C-alpha cells in the first residue's frame, strides 16, 4: 500500500515483468529499501532474506529476457510465515530455538511456490506454534501494527508479521496459516485482504502443525484480486483441479446472509458501524440481503473456549516431536497446552464428532445463500500495555478469535477485506464466508464487493510515514 512497484496489482506486475517495463530486481530493491527504512521498527521478519532474494531476482530477470516463464508468481516479492519449512531458511515457529530437521525441507505448497521462482524476502514472525490470535511473542517481540505509530498495537495473529510485511512495503504477497483465524485476523487488523482455504484443500505437509484437524494454509495480499491471482497460481498444481477464479458476478445476482446475533457481540466502538455501512452499500448496489444465523454458533464458541481440538493436538505434537520445547513455551501458550494434557481420549473424540456435526449443519444453512457477511474481528487491535493485567490477554485473545473461528469449526472457506476504520482509527475488516471448497466462487464475489467498496488503499489511505528506529 505504498506508491512503489511492489504495491502494483499482481496482474500488472505479471504483465510488466514480461514486457520489460518492470524487473524482478526493482521489486527486491524496493523491498530492501523499505526494510532498511522501517524494518526494525515494523519487526515483521524473524529471518530477513534480502541479499539472497537479490541474487535470485537477477537470475529471474535473465530468464525473462530469454523468454522463459516459470509461472505467474515469477519474480514477485513474497514473505512466508515462519511456520512453513522453506529449504535454505531456518524455522523457529515462534519458539525460542531453531527447530532444525525436518522443518527445513519445503513441503508441497512451498515447493509449488518456489518452482515459480518468486523472490522470497524472508520469514515473518508468528505467535509461538501459531497458538494465539493477537500476534504477541514473548521470545522475539511483537510486530508493530503500522496504523498506529504512537502506540505499539498488536498486528493480529498468529500470522503476525504477514500483514505488516505488506503494509511495510517489503512484499507483494504473504503466506500465512489459519486454524481459528490466523490469516483473517492479521489481515483485518492491518488493513489488507486475506483468504482462509478449506481444510484439506491444500496440503499441510511441511507446515509446523497446531491442529492437524483444522490447520489451513492461506494468503494475504493488498486486495482481493491479488488473492485471486495468487490462488490461481498455486491451486491447480496443488489440487489438480481446473477450478479457476471466474469473472466477478454482478452484485445484483448475489444473495448474501447477514446474521442478527453472535458476530456483532462485544464489538469495539466503530467496528460494527463500519461493517454495517459496507453492507448497506452492497444492498444499495442490488445485493439481496437475507437474515441468516449460522446454527449452533454458541456450541462452537463453548467448544473453542474449552480448547477445541488445537490445544490437545498441539500438546500431542510437542510432547512427541519437540519435547525439549515444552518447558520454554511462552506463558500464554503454555497455559493452554497444560490444560490439554489432562484431556481424556473420550473427550477428544466427542469434540471431533461435534466439529463434524457443526460443519454439516452450517453447510446446510449456507446452501440457501451465496455467502455470509460478518465483522471479521470484533475488537480494535489492542495496545500491548493493555494486555499486561492478569486475565487481559486471555479475554482479548478470545474476543479477537470468536468471529473467525466459526469458519474453521464449521468447515467453511472465508475471506476478509478492509471496509473502514473504527473509533480508534484502526482498520476494520468484512468477513465473507462460503461453503467448503468454494474458494474460486468466494474470491470472485470478493472482487465484486471490492470493486464497489474500494480496496484497502482507497478506503484507508496510507499509514503515517513517520518511523522511530
Amino acid at each position: 500500500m505504498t506508491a512503489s512497484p511492489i504495491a502494483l496489482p499482481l496482474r500488472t506486475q505479471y504483465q510488466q515483468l514480461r514486457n520489460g517495463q518492470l524487473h524482478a530486481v526493482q521489486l527486491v530493491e524496493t523491498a530492501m529499501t523499505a526494510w532498511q527504512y522501517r524494518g526494525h521498527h515494523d519487526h515483521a521478519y524473524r529471518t530477513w532474506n534480502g541479499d539472497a532474494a537479490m541474487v535470485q531476482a537477477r537470475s529471474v530477470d535473465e530468464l525473462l529476457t530469454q523468454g522463459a516463464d516459470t509461472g505467474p508468481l515469477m519474480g514477485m516479492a513474497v514473505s512466508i510465515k515462519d511456520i512453513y519449512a522453506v529449504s535454505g531458511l531456518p524455522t523457529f515457529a515462534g519458539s525460542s530455538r531453531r527447530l532444525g530437521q525436518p522443518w527445513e525441507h519445503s513441503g508441497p505448497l512451498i515447493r509449488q511456490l518456489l518452482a515459480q521462482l518468486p523472490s522470497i524476502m524472508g520469514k515473518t514472525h508468528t505467535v509461538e506454534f501459531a497458538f494465539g490470535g493477537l500476534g504477541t511473542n514473548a521470545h522475539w517481540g511483537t510486530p508493530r501494527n503500522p496504523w498506529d505509530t504512537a502506540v505499539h498495537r498488536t498486528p493480529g495473529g498468529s500470522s503476525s508479521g504477514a500483514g505488516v510485511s505488506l503494509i511495510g512495503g517489503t512484499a507483494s504477497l504473504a503466506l500465512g496459516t489459519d486454524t481459528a483465524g490466523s490469516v483473517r485476523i492479521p489481515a483485518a487488523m492491518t488493513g489488507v485482504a486475506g483468504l482462509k482455504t478449506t481444510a484439506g484443500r491444500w496440503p499441510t505437509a511441511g507446515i509446523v502443525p497446531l491442529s492437524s484437524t483444522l490447520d489451513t494454509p492461506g494468503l494475504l495480499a493488498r486486495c482481493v484480486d491479488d488473492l485471486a491471482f495468487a490462488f490461481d497460481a498455486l491451486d491447480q498444481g496443488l489440487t489438480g483441479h481446473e477450478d479457476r477464479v471466474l469473472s466477478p458476478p454482478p452484485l445484483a445476482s448475489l444473495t448474501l446472509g447477514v446474521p442478527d446475533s453472535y458476530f456483532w457481540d462485544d464489538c469495539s466502538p466503530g467496528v460494527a458501524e463500519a461493517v454495517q455501512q459496507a453492507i448497506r452499500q452492497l444492498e444499495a448496489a442490488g445485493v439481496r440481503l437475507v437474515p441468516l444465523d449460522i446454527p449452533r454458533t454458541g456450541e462452537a464458541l463453548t467448544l473453542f473456549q474449552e480448547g477445541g481440538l488445537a490445544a490437545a493436538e498441539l500438546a500431542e505434537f510437542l510432547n512427541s516431536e519437540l519435547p525439549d520445547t515444552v518447558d520454554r513455551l511462552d506463558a500464554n501458550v503454555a497455559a493452554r497446552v497444560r490444560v490439554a494434557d489432562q484431556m481424556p481420549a473420550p473427550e477428544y473424540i466427542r469434540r471431533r464428532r461435534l466439529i463434524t456435526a457443526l460443519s454439516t449443519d452450517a453447510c446446510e444453512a449456507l446452501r440457501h445463500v451465496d455467502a455470509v457477511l460478518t465483522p471479521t474481528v470484533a475488537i480494535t487491535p489492542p495496545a500491548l500495555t493493555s494486555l499486561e493485567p492478569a486475565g487481559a490477554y486471555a479475554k482479548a485473545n478470545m474476543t479477537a478469535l470468536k468471529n473467525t473461528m466459526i469458519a474453521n469449526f464449521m468447515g467453511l472457506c472465508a475471506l476478509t477485506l478492509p471496509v473502514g476504520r473504527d473509533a480508534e482509527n484502526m482498520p476494520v475488516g468484512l468477513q465473507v464466508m462460503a461453503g467448503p471448497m468454494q474458494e474460486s466462487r468466494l474470491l470472485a464475489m470478493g472482487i465484486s464487493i471490492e470493486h464497489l467498496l474500494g480496496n484497502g488503499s482507497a478506503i484507508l489511505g496510507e499509514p503515517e510515514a513517520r518511523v522511530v528506529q
Side-chain angles (χ1 to χ4, degrees), residues 92-116:
F92 289 80
S95 68
S96 60
R97 291 188 180 181
R98 184 171 177 170
L99 300 190
Q101 305 300 333
W103 302 109
E104 295 181 13
H105 292 290
S106 301
L109 192 158
I110 295 299
R111 290 197 300 270
Q112 175 69 11
L113 171 70
L114 296 181
Q116 300 185 41

Side-chain angles (χ1 to χ4, degrees), residues 368-380:
H368 307 289
V369 297
D370 292 296
V372 174
L373 306 177
T374 78
T376 307
V377 183
I379 60 171
T380 194

Side-chain angles (χ1 to χ4, degrees), residues 7 170 180 221 332 384 396 437 463 469:
T170 56
N332 290 319
L384 288 192
M437 303 297 175
Q469 293 284 7

